[in-house]
Amino acid sequence: MYRYCGFDFASLTRPPTQAAAKSNGLAIASMVLGIRWLMGIGSLLAVVFGQLALNQIKLADPPQGGRGMAIAGLVLGYIGLGVLLATFAT
């Protein structure tokens, strides 16, 4: 306690902060492969890795980050597969 006014400055300590959730490795791989679609193989792998990453993130006991990256990888992978199919369809 502060001796002049009686206020306890020890009560002003900050609560412990939580560490940031680590990103899922498959989510990162999905986004990278979606960006660099590698002649269609990367797009297919981006979709597979993105779906696996979303499943792992949903079931993770300590929370994992990377849901946005997994969704971005899925979207880019599906766009890449669509472009690939449109190219072969013509």
Side-chain angles (χ1 to χ4, degrees):
M1 295 199 26
Y2 193 62
R3 68 180 188 177
Y4 293 113
C5 67
F7 185 75
D8 185 16
F9 284 100
S11 66
L12 296 178
T13 60
R14 293 183 182 168
T17 58
Q18 293 181 347
K22 295 193 179 202
S23 295
N24 186 294
L26 287 175
I28 296 170
S30 174
M31 189 176 68
V32 169
L33 287 170
I35 293 171
R36 297 189 46 103
W37 65 283
L38 303 173
M39 306 300 176
I41 296 171
S43 294
L44 181 63
L45 289 175
V47 170
V48 171
F49 289 167
Q51 194 61 47
L52 288 173
L54 284 177
N55 193 28
Q56 285 182 357
I57 291 168
K58 181 174 69 172
L59 297 175
D61 184 22
Q64 286 185 339
R67 185 173 185 270
M69 287 188 285
I71 292 172
L74 275 172
V75 169
L76 291 172
Y78 281 126
I79 289 172
L81 288 176
V83 169
L84 185 68
L85 289 175
T87 302
F88 283 125
T90 58

